[in-house]
Amino acid sequence: MKEIDLILISKRYEEDEIGQRIPVEEERTVPALEDAITRNEWSAAGQNGIKAEKVIYTSVINYEGEEIAIVDGVRYIIYRTYNGPSYGRHNISEDEIELYLRKEVI
């Protein structure tokens, strides 16, 4: 596991001069730990057509429901979160959350 700066991206919408809703992204950086996906997660995600890439651990107070994250300059979709007793390699406490990432397809 390694310590990282995780960039979380939230979206809000503004209207332009003709009334179209334009998405505006807002970034914020939080401390986190990065780990590799377990074989069980990789298999379960694959059965749902998802190519799991990373699992990130951060304090639950850092996460506000964002759906996009950036790690080492690469954009990812947060496809699943988990907050509870962990059975993976990293035993998380109640104040931590697991964020499961897949690459964003543009």
Side-chain angles (χ1 to χ4, degrees):
M1 244 184 304
K2 70 176 185 175
E3 292 182 12
I4 63 167
D5 287 328
L6 175 67
I7 299 172
L8 294 170
I9 299 175
S10 60
K11 285 187 181 180
R12 62 183 173 78
Y13 294 87
E14 295 180 349
E15 284 192 11
D16 66 7
E17 61 278 352
I18 61 171
Q20 298 179 91
R21 290 176 32 115
I22 307 297
V24 177
E25 293 185 344
E26 296 178 345
E27 296 182 359
R28 61 192 181 86
T29 303
V30 299
L33 293 172
E34 176 186 344
D35 201 0
I37 292 289
T38 63
R39 183 178 301 168
N40 287 342
E41 177 64 26
W42 188 83
S43 176
Q47 290 176 4
N48 291 312
I50 296 170
K51 184 179 179 202
E53 297 281 341
K54 298 179 183 293
V55 61
I56 305 294
Y57 303 94
T58 191
S59 173
V60 73
I61 62 171
N62 292 334
Y63 183 66
E64 297 174 355
E66 293 89 350
E67 296 177 357
I68 301 171
I70 298 176
V71 178
D72 296 329
V74 178
R75 285 175 68 104
Y76 294 91
I77 299 294
I78 301 169
Y79 70 87
R80 183 169 85 83
T81 63
Y82 180 72
N83 178 244
S86 177
Y87 304 104
R89 291 186 282 252
H90 176 68
N91 292 323
I92 67 171
S93 65
E94 288 181 14
D95 66 337
E96 288 183 300
I97 190 167
E98 298 175 4
L99 307 176
Y100 291 88
L101 311 180
R102 67 174 173 84
K103 283 193 179 159
E104 181 177 44
V105 178
I106 298 176

